Amino acid sequence: VAATELSTPPDIATTILVSAIALFLLFEGTLYAIFPEKTKKMIQMILELPLNSLRIFGLVMVIIGVTILFLV
């Protein structure tokens, strides 16, 4: 079996990527539209976080995302 037969065709991969970006924009835009004041407060809180805490938070989000992708 050739490796190309086992890989996802580019058109499906592109569709999945574009769908993921669209979902991200949908959720982010909804939060900004419904809770603009809370969004500004959250951004201010993030700006005040120590860099190490922000880095750890980001790594935890990456691990959660990879785990979800692996399980799906």
Side-chain angles (χ1 to χ4, degrees):
V1 176
T4 55
E5 292 177 14
L6 298 176
S7 64
T8 305
D11 55 327
I12 293 174
T14 303
T15 301
I16 291 171
L17 177 64
V18 171
S19 296
I21 293 170
L23 282 172
F24 170 77
L25 293 173
L26 176 77
F27 288 119
E28 285 290 313
T30 300
L31 290 176
Y32 294 150
I34 295 175
F35 307 110
E37 189 173 313
K38 289 186 180 189
T39 301
K40 288 180 80 169
K41 288 180 185 177
M42 180 70 82
I43 291 170
Q44 186 60 41
M45 287 174 52
I46 291 171
L47 289 172
E48 294 172 2
L49 276 176
L51 289 179
N52 214 25
S53 296
L54 192 56
R55 184 174 289 118
I56 290 170
F57 176 75
L59 287 173
V60 168
M61 293 295 108
V62 168
I63 291 168
I64 291 171
V66 168
T67 302
I68 291 170
L69 285 174
F70 179 75
L71 293 173
V72 172

